[in-house]
Amino acid sequence: MNATAALERFDNHWSYAEEVEVLTFDLNGETFALEAAIVQEILDLLPETAVPGSQPFVASVINFRGKVIPLADLRLAFGMEAAEATIDSRFIVIEIDLQGEPTLVGLRTDKVNEVTTLAKTSSEAPPSVGMRWRADYINCLVKRGGEFIILPNLQAIFSSRHDAAGAVT
Amino acid sequence: MSTLDPVAVFRMEAAECLEAIEAGLLDLTHQLDDKDLVDAVFRGLHTLKGSGAMFGFEALAAFTHHCETAFDRVRKGEVGATSELVAAVLAAQDHMRALVDQPDADHGDTGHKLLAQLQAAVGAKAAAPATATAAVAAPVQEASAKKAKNGWRIRFRLPANSMANGTNPLGLLDELRDLGECTVRADTSAIPPLDELTPTELYISWDVTLMSEQDRSAIDDVFIFVLDDMELSVEEIDGAAAAMAALVEAKPAPAAAASVSSPPVPVVPVQEFRPVEAVPVKREAPAAIQAKAAENVRVPAERLDELMDRVGELVIAQSRLSQLASASTDIALRSVSEEIERLSGELRDTMMVLRMVPVATLFSRFRRLVHDLARETGKAIELVMEGESTEVDKTVIERLADPLVHLVRNSIDHGLEVPADRLAAGKAKAGTITLSARQAGGEVIISIKDDGRGINRERVRAKAESSGLIHPGQPLSDPELLQLIFAPGFSTAAAITNLSGRGVGMDVVKKTVEELRGAIDIVSMPGQGSEVSLRIPLTLAIIDGLLVRVGSGRYVIPLAAVEECLELSLEEDLRSRGRSFISLRDSLVPFLRLRDLFRTGTKPDVHQKVVVISTGTERVGLVVDQIIGDHQTVIKSMSKLHNDVATFSGATILGDGSVALILDIGHLVAAGQQQEAQLRAAG
């Protein structure tokens, strides 16, 4: 991953508007943001069903309004440690395009914060060095107050083949 | 829910209409004198024309009009229905389908050719027998060649409601002006007093003097889409009044009259310098819209899915209500809860069969294919259909249509012999193609059987060797050899021409069936015919499942695959450590410990159970912690993110709202066999 490619992706993301409306949430002490347009619903925790043999970061499914949808843990995609749910934990259900098909996916979060607007002018492409996580999993960073908000690149995360540990047979 | 594009709605309607027309025509080939069928076909054509014009499919409307005219003559008894006519309209019907699908593409030549055939078929009966197209066309050319010396006098009145249907009389006048110099006089005598006037109605008629050298057909073209319901009279102002009688038939001469033959136009003796009083044309009102239309409603599959999800939610909410009610002492609450329980159960049952459609809808289209292929190949074919009432999920039906066409075509092209060869082989002259469907457990089996020559193994082998699929002389079992025809490299141009096998596009057939998680079996007896069977699971439908618990997770095993359930006693469990098979009535059955497979990390229950599953030929035992019981299961597919998990074929939602995964039997049996093979290799 070089800086040019990252910058290009970053430009694509913002190309259509000067600002973007996002939903922010916390994960492992970091603040992340998702475009509000793709968010379908915020759910209280639901019973999960483990899918043996699946990639660890999508290790379970939930019943979302009669549909069986995968539940993803971005923590694991970014290589953070898995953590227990807290009283503030919620699932965010989003709709993303996977191989040309709109797909509902649930995301674990530690806490859902707010819907807010982020400006293009205060966003930056992820630095090519000094990052704890894979740079291609991040669209951009947006500075707000003293902190950075991370906009993950969901397409890259969900379309890549994660190291499938615990595969069955 | 998004609203539907009107054009898409028209296309659905048109497809239905065309299907009805086709079915009518095919029935008509057997009973040419059935008046009801003629009426049905006419009505279908009329509806198609009308709605086509309404939605802007003008080429379709114009083309269909000619077929309708032909059938109108049959209906009025002017000509008899002939097999030529039916064949011509069948062919024309395909063209209409193309016009519906691609209204903007250039279909000119096909259309003209088809109309020529059609006119030959109708004209042949009306005029001299067996008239060649050219002969019929000649008088038309002659007639249309006669041009007015000076101009035309045109009087027309549109139906009062025509503006509500989207017709703009000003547009018609503009078109007339395009033909030449016009003097337009409006007849306003029919306009009622203001207080009786309905603003959307049309009261005006027009009298137009058109000074032009254009021939009649140009004028008819202007009115082509409204011709049926309007009053129109056209007279020549000066010069020869010719071919006026043609007007009586209200036959809109097509734009390309030279290449399109029409029914022979009676040539009226020329009466010079005396305008002929034209007969106003009043067509009968459009036939009543097909009464049957209301019996079926077309619903996009996704709406049904949505409804299914909602019903699923309702059932879950209801079960929560039941729990609350049972803990309550409020009698009224309990009775309401019971009532809702009953209702939601009924609703779920109704919902589950809603997506199922009988295979007949799929099979019916093969009548046409076989009819056409019999004509094309000169083979006598009898089509037998069995089990048409077997119900399959609508999506499956749609996905199977193309593969089945392929298979039927192959059976006829390559399987069936020509009549002479059949007689020589001591068979009946007509070959038989049998399409059958039946349900077997959680699968539906659709098979295509012919009594032809069977698959020529030597040719299949030669072809596979020459294309490098197998090594020369490589030993293969018969089923393996037959499976070669599904190999992607097998279908080549050579395979089509020398009829070496059934390789044409079979890889596509196989792919489609596999996408539906089905399988294909071939049985072929040299000299006696072949049978290709597609085994398709009833996806999205209900399956009966056996709900089991492994660790803390619950899983569904399709009941159709379950042979028996045994207890795995503690001693047996200990004894079987190190070897993973049990002895079941003297045969060795390998088993899989699902707890290990799923890495539950829990301790086994004291009384573990073995569920013996079978794919028909192979058996494998699955060790589970607990058998919970029967469970009716609505299969939900898993998302693409779990595509790599082959152990499960889908998921289902249990009564308490939690999700249980459905085990993929084929995959587990294969895994069991692999384990067995490893054990054997290890000694």
Side-chain angles (χ1 to χ4, degrees), chain A residues 49-55 58-62 67-71 98-99 101-105, chain B residues 517 539-540 555 634-653 659-664:
Chain A
T49 301
V51 181
S54 60
Q55 302 167 22
V58 280
S60 55
V61 289
I62 53 170
K67 294 188 180 85
V68 176
I69 67 167
L71 182 66
L98 278 186
Q99 294 159 37
E101 258 180 47
T103 308
L104 291 171
V105 179
Chain B
R517 291 199 314 255
T539 22
L540 293 162
Y555 301 90
V634 185
I635 303 177
K636 306 252 174 193
S637 54
M638 310 254 278
S639 83
K640 282 194 175 357
L641 289 173
H642 288 128
N643 268 357
D644 54 339
V645 189
T647 328
F648 306 107
S649 57
T652 188
I653 294 174
V659 178
L661 302 172
I662 303 168
L663 294 172
D664 184 324

Coordinates of all heavy atoms in Angstrom, one line a residue, chain A residues 49-55 58-62 67-71 98-99 101-105, chain B residues 517 539-540 555 634-653 659-664:
Chain A
T49 N -25.6 -16.7 17.0 CA -25.4 -18.1 16.7 C -24.0 -18.2 16.0 O -23.8 -17.6 15.0 CB -26.4 -18.6 15.7 OG1 -27.7 -18.4 16.3 CG2 -26.2 -20.1 15.4
A50 N -23.1 -18.9 16.6 CA -21.8 -19.1 16.1 C -21.8 -19.9 14.8 O -22.6 -20.8 14.6 CB -20.9 -19.8 17.1
V51 N -21.0 -19.5 13.8 CA -20.9 -20.3 12.6 C -19.5 -21.0 12.6 O -18.5 -20.3 12.3 CB -21.1 -19.4 11.3 CG1 -20.9 -20.2 10.1 CG2 -22.4 -18.7 11.4
P52 N -19.5 -22.2 13.0 CA -18.2 -22.9 13.0 C -17.5 -22.9 11.7 O -18.2 -23.2 10.7 CB -18.5 -24.3 13.5 CG -19.9 -24.2 14.1 CD -20.6 -23.1 13.4
G53 N -16.3 -22.6 11.6 CA -15.5 -22.7 10.4 C -15.5 -21.4 9.6 O -14.9 -21.3 8.5
S54 N -16.2 -20.4 10.1 CA -16.1 -19.1 9.3 C -14.9 -18.3 9.7 O -14.2 -18.6 10.7 CB -17.4 -18.3 9.6 OG -17.5 -18.1 11.0
Q55 N -14.7 -17.2 9.0 CA -13.6 -16.4 9.3 C -13.9 -15.7 10.7 O -15.0 -15.4 11.0 CB -13.5 -15.2 8.3 CG -13.3 -15.7 6.9 CD -13.5 -14.7 5.9 OE1 -13.4 -13.5 6.2 NE2 -13.8 -15.1 4.7
V58 N -16.2 -12.7 11.2 CA -17.6 -12.8 11.0 C -18.0 -14.2 11.5 O -18.6 -15.0 10.8 CB -18.0 -12.7 9.5 CG1 -18.1 -11.2 9.0 CG2 -17.1 -13.5 8.6
A59 N -17.8 -14.4 12.8 CA -17.9 -15.7 13.3 C -19.3 -16.1 13.7 O -19.6 -17.2 14.1 CB -17.0 -15.9 14.5
S60 N -20.3 -15.1 13.6 CA -21.6 -15.5 14.0 C -22.7 -14.8 13.1 O -22.4 -14.0 12.3 CB -21.8 -15.1 15.5 OG -21.6 -13.8 15.7
V61 N -23.9 -15.3 13.3 CA -25.0 -14.7 12.6 C -26.1 -14.3 13.6 O -26.2 -14.9 14.7 CB -25.7 -15.7 11.6 CG1 -24.7 -15.9 10.4 CG2 -26.0 -17.0 12.2
I62 N -26.9 -13.4 13.2 CA -28.1 -13.0 14.1 C -29.3 -12.9 13.3 O -29.3 -12.9 12.0 CB -27.8 -11.6 14.8 CG1 -27.5 -10.5 13.7 CG2 -26.8 -11.7 15.8 CD1 -27.5 -9.1 14.2
K67 N -34.5 -12.0 9.0 CA -33.4 -12.3 8.0 C -32.2 -12.8 8.9 O -31.9 -12.3 10.0 CB -32.9 -11.1 7.2 CG -34.0 -10.6 6.3 CD -33.3 -9.5 5.4 CE -34.3 -9.0 4.4 NZ -35.1 -7.9 4.9
V68 N -31.5 -13.7 8.3 CA -30.3 -14.2 9.0 C -29.1 -13.4 8.4 O -28.8 -13.5 7.2 CB -30.0 -15.7 8.7 CG1 -28.7 -16.1 9.4 CG2 -31.2 -16.5 9.3
I69 N -28.5 -12.6 9.2 CA -27.4 -11.7 8.7 C -26.1 -12.0 9.5 O -26.1 -12.3 10.7 CB -27.8 -10.2 8.7 CG1 -27.9 -9.7 10.2 CG2 -29.1 -10.0 8.0 CD1 -27.9 -8.2 10.2
P70 N -25.0 -11.8 8.8 CA -23.7 -12.0 9.5 C -23.4 -10.9 10.5 O -23.8 -9.7 10.3 CB -22.7 -12.0 8.4 CG -23.3 -11.3 7.3 CD -24.8 -11.5 7.4
L71 N -22.7 -11.2 11.6 CA -22.3 -10.2 12.6 C -20.8 -10.1 12.5 O -20.1 -11.1 12.7 CB -22.8 -10.7 13.9 CG -22.5 -9.7 15.1 CD1 -23.3 -8.4 14.9 CD2 -22.9 -10.3 16.4
L98 N -21.8 -6.1 -1.7 CA -20.8 -7.2 -1.7 C -20.9 -8.0 -3.0 O -21.9 -8.5 -3.3 CB -21.0 -8.2 -0.6 CG -20.5 -7.9 0.8 CD1 -20.6 -9.1 1.7 CD2 -19.0 -7.5 0.7
Q99 N -19.9 -7.9 -3.8 CA -19.9 -8.6 -5.2 C -21.2 -8.2 -5.9 O -21.8 -9.1 -6.5 CB -19.7 -10.1 -5.0 CG -18.4 -10.5 -4.5 CD -18.4 -11.9 -3.8 OE1 -19.1 -12.7 -4.4 NE2 -17.7 -12.1 -2.8
E101 N -24.0 -7.3 -4.8 CA -25.3 -7.5 -4.2 C -25.4 -6.7 -2.9 O -24.5 -6.8 -2.1 CB -25.5 -9.0 -3.8 CG -26.4 -9.8 -4.8 CD -26.5 -11.2 -4.4 OE1 -26.7 -11.5 -3.2 OE2 -26.3 -12.1 -5.3
P102 N -26.5 -6.0 -2.7 CA -26.6 -5.3 -1.4 C -26.8 -6.3 -0.3 O -27.6 -7.3 -0.4 CB -27.9 -4.5 -1.6 CG -28.6 -5.0 -2.8 CD -27.6 -5.7 -3.6
T103 N -26.0 -6.2 0.7 CA -26.0 -7.2 1.8 C -26.1 -6.5 3.1 O -25.4 -5.5 3.4 CB -24.6 -8.0 1.7 OG1 -24.4 -8.5 0.4 CG2 -24.6 -9.2 2.7
L104 N -26.9 -7.1 4.0 CA -27.0 -6.5 5.3 C -25.9 -7.2 6.2 O -25.7 -8.4 6.2 CB -28.4 -6.8 5.9 CG -29.6 -6.1 5.3 CD1 -30.9 -6.6 5.8 CD2 -29.5 -4.6 5.6
V105 N -25.3 -6.4 7.0 CA -24.2 -6.9 7.9 C -24.4 -6.2 9.2 O -24.6 -5.0 9.3 CB -22.8 -6.6 7.3 CG1 -21.8 -7.2 8.3 CG2 -22.6 -7.3 6.0
Chain B
R517 N -27.6 -25.8 -5.9 CA -27.2 -26.8 -5.0 C -27.8 -28.2 -5.3 O -28.1 -29.0 -4.5 CB -27.6 -26.5 -3.5 CG -26.7 -25.3 -3.0 CD -26.8 -25.3 -1.5 NE -28.1 -25.5 -1.0 CZ -28.8 -24.5 -0.5 NH1 -28.3 -23.3 -0.4 NH2 -30.1 -24.7 -0.1
T539 N -35.2 -25.3 -2.4 CA -34.7 -24.1 -1.7 C -35.8 -23.1 -1.4 O -36.7 -23.1 -2.1 CB -33.7 -23.4 -2.6 OG1 -33.9 -23.7 -3.9 CG2 -32.3 -23.7 -2.2
L540 N -35.5 -22.4 -0.3 CA -36.4 -21.4 0.2 C -37.8 -22.0 0.6 O -38.6 -21.3 1.2 CB -36.7 -20.3 -0.9 CG -35.5 -19.5 -1.2 CD1 -35.7 -18.8 -2.6 CD2 -35.3 -18.5 -0.2
Y555 N -28.6 -27.1 15.7 CA -28.4 -27.3 14.2 C -29.6 -28.1 13.7 O -30.2 -28.9 14.4 CB -27.1 -28.1 14.0 CG -25.9 -27.3 14.5 CD1 -25.5 -27.5 15.8 CD2 -25.3 -26.3 13.7 CE1 -24.4 -26.8 16.3 CE2 -24.2 -25.6 14.2 CZ -23.8 -25.9 15.5 OH -22.7 -25.1 16.0
V634 N -37.9 -23.1 7.5 CA -37.8 -22.2 6.4 C -36.3 -22.0 6.1 O -35.7 -21.4 7.0 CB -38.5 -20.9 6.6 CG1 -38.6 -20.1 5.3 CG2 -39.9 -21.1 7.1
I635 N -35.9 -22.4 4.9 CA -34.4 -22.2 4.7 C -34.1 -20.7 4.3 O -34.8 -20.1 3.5 CB -34.0 -23.1 3.5 CG1 -34.3 -24.5 3.8 CG2 -32.5 -22.9 3.3 CD1 -33.9 -25.5 2.7
K636 N -33.2 -20.1 5.0 CA -32.7 -18.8 4.7 C -31.3 -19.0 4.2 O -30.5 -19.7 4.8 CB -32.7 -17.9 6.0 CG -34.0 -17.9 6.7 CD -34.7 -16.6 6.5 CE -36.1 -16.6 7.1 NZ -36.8 -15.4 6.7
S637 N -31.0 -18.3 3.2 CA -29.6 -18.4 2.7 C -28.7 -17.6 3.5 O -29.1 -16.7 4.2 CB -29.5 -18.0 1.2 OG -30.0 -16.7 1.1
M638 N -27.4 -18.0 3.5 CA -26.4 -17.3 4.3 C -25.8 -16.2 3.4 O -25.8 -16.4 2.2 CB -25.3 -18.3 4.8 CG -25.9 -19.5 5.4 SD -25.7 -19.5 7.2 CE -24.0 -20.1 7.3
S639 N -25.2 -15.2 4.0 CA -24.7 -14.2 3.2 C -23.4 -14.6 2.5 O -22.8 -15.6 2.8 CB -24.4 -12.9 4.0 OG -23.1 -13.1 4.7
K640 N -22.9 -13.8 1.6 CA -21.7 -14.1 0.8 C -20.5 -14.2 1.8 O -19.5 -14.8 1.5 CB -21.5 -13.0 -0.2 CG -22.3 -13.1 -1.4 CD -21.7 -12.3 -2.5 CE -22.4 -12.3 -3.9 NZ -23.4 -13.2 -4.2
L641 N -20.6 -13.5 2.9 CA -19.4 -13.5 3.8 C -19.2 -14.9 4.4 O -18.2 -15.2 4.9 CB -19.7 -12.5 5.0 CG -19.6 -11.1 4.6 CD1 -20.1 -10.2 5.8 CD2 -18.2 -10.7 4.2
H642 N -20.2 -15.8 4.3 CA -20.1 -17.1 4.8 C -20.1 -18.1 3.6 O -20.3 -19.3 3.9 CB -21.2 -17.5 5.8 CG -21.0 -16.7 7.1 ND1 -22.0 -16.0 7.7 CD2 -19.9 -16.6 7.9 CE1 -21.5 -15.5 8.8 NE2 -20.3 -15.8 8.9
N643 N -19.8 -17.7 2.5 CA -19.7 -18.5 1.3 C -18.7 -19.6 1.5 O -18.8 -20.7 0.9 CB -19.3 -17.7 0.0 CG -20.6 -17.3 -0.7 OD1 -21.7 -17.6 -0.3 ND2 -20.4 -16.5 -1.8
D644 N -17.6 -19.3 2.2 CA -16.5 -20.3 2.4 C -16.8 -21.4 3.4 O -16.1 -22.3 3.5 CB -15.2 -19.6 2.7 CG -15.4 -18.7 4.0 OD1 -16.6 -18.4 4.3 OD2 -14.4 -18.4 4.6
V645 N -18.0 -21.3 4.0 CA -18.3 -22.3 5.0 C -19.2 -23.4 4.4 O -20.4 -23.2 4.2 CB -19.0 -21.7 6.2 CG1 -19.2 -22.8 7.3 CG2 -18.3 -20.5 6.7
A646 N -18.6 -24.5 4.0 CA -19.3 -25.5 3.2 C -20.2 -26.4 4.1 O -21.1 -27.1 3.6 CB -18.4 -26.3 2.4
T647 N -19.9 -26.4 5.4 CA -20.6 -27.3 6.3 C -22.1 -27.0 6.4 O -22.8 -27.9 6.8 CB -20.0 -27.2 7.7 OG1 -18.6 -26.9 7.6 CG2 -20.1 -28.5 8.5
F648 N -22.5 -25.8 6.1 CA -23.9 -25.4 6.2 C -24.5 -25.0 4.9 O -23.9 -24.3 4.2 CB -24.0 -24.3 7.3 CG -23.4 -24.6 8.6 CD1 -22.2 -24.0 8.9 CD2 -23.9 -25.6 9.4 CE1 -21.5 -24.4 10.1 CE2 -23.3 -25.9 10.6 CZ -22.1 -25.3 10.9
S649 N -25.7 -25.5 4.7 CA -26.3 -25.1 3.4 C -27.2 -23.9 3.6 O -27.7 -23.3 2.6 CB -27.1 -26.3 2.9 OG -28.1 -26.7 3.9
G650 N -27.5 -23.5 4.9 CA -28.3 -22.3 5.1 C -28.6 -22.2 6.6 O -27.9 -22.8 7.4
A651 N -29.6 -21.4 6.9 CA -29.9 -21.2 8.3 C -31.4 -21.1 8.4 O -32.1 -21.0 7.4 CB -29.3 -19.9 8.8
T652 N -31.9 -21.2 9.6 CA -33.3 -21.1 9.8 C -33.5 -20.3 11.2 O -32.6 -20.3 12.0 CB -34.0 -22.4 9.8 OG1 -35.4 -22.2 9.8 CG2 -33.6 -23.3 11.0
I653 N -34.7 -19.8 11.3 CA -35.0 -19.1 12.6 C -36.0 -19.9 13.4 O -37.0 -20.4 12.9 CB -35.6 -17.7 12.3 CG1 -34.5 -16.9 11.6 CG2 -36.1 -17.0 13.5 CD1 -35.0 -15.6 11.1
V659 N -31.2 -18.2 15.8 CA -30.9 -18.8 14.5 C -30.2 -20.2 14.7 O -29.4 -20.4 15.6 CB -29.9 -17.9 13.8 CG1 -29.5 -18.5 12.4 CG2 -30.5 -16.5 13.6
A660 N -30.7 -21.2 13.9 CA -30.0 -22.4 13.8 C -29.5 -22.7 12.4 O -30.1 -22.3 11.4 CB -31.0 -23.6 14.2
L661 N -28.3 -23.3 12.3 CA -27.7 -23.6 11.0 C -28.2 -24.9 10.5 O -28.4 -25.9 11.3 CB -26.2 -23.5 11.1 CG -25.7 -22.2 11.7 CD1 -24.2 -22.2 11.9 CD2 -26.0 -21.0 10.7
I662 N -28.3 -25.0 9.2 CA -28.7 -26.3 8.6 C -27.5 -27.0 8.0 O -26.7 -26.4 7.3 CB -29.7 -26.0 7.4 CG1 -30.9 -25.2 8.0 CG2 -30.2 -27.3 6.8 CD1 -31.8 -24.6 6.9
L663 N -27.3 -28.2 8.4 CA -26.2 -29.0 8.0 C -26.2 -29.4 6.5 O -27.3 -29.8 6.0 CB -26.0 -30.2 8.8 CG -25.7 -29.9 10.3 CD1 -25.7 -31.2 11.1 CD2 -24.3 -29.3 10.4
D664 N -25.1 -29.2 5.8 CA -25.0 -29.7 4.4 C -24.7 -31.1 4.4 O -23.5 -31.5 4.6 CB -24.0 -28.8 3.7 CG -23.9 -29.1 2.2 OD1 -24.1 -30.3 1.8 OD2 -23.7 -28.2 1.4

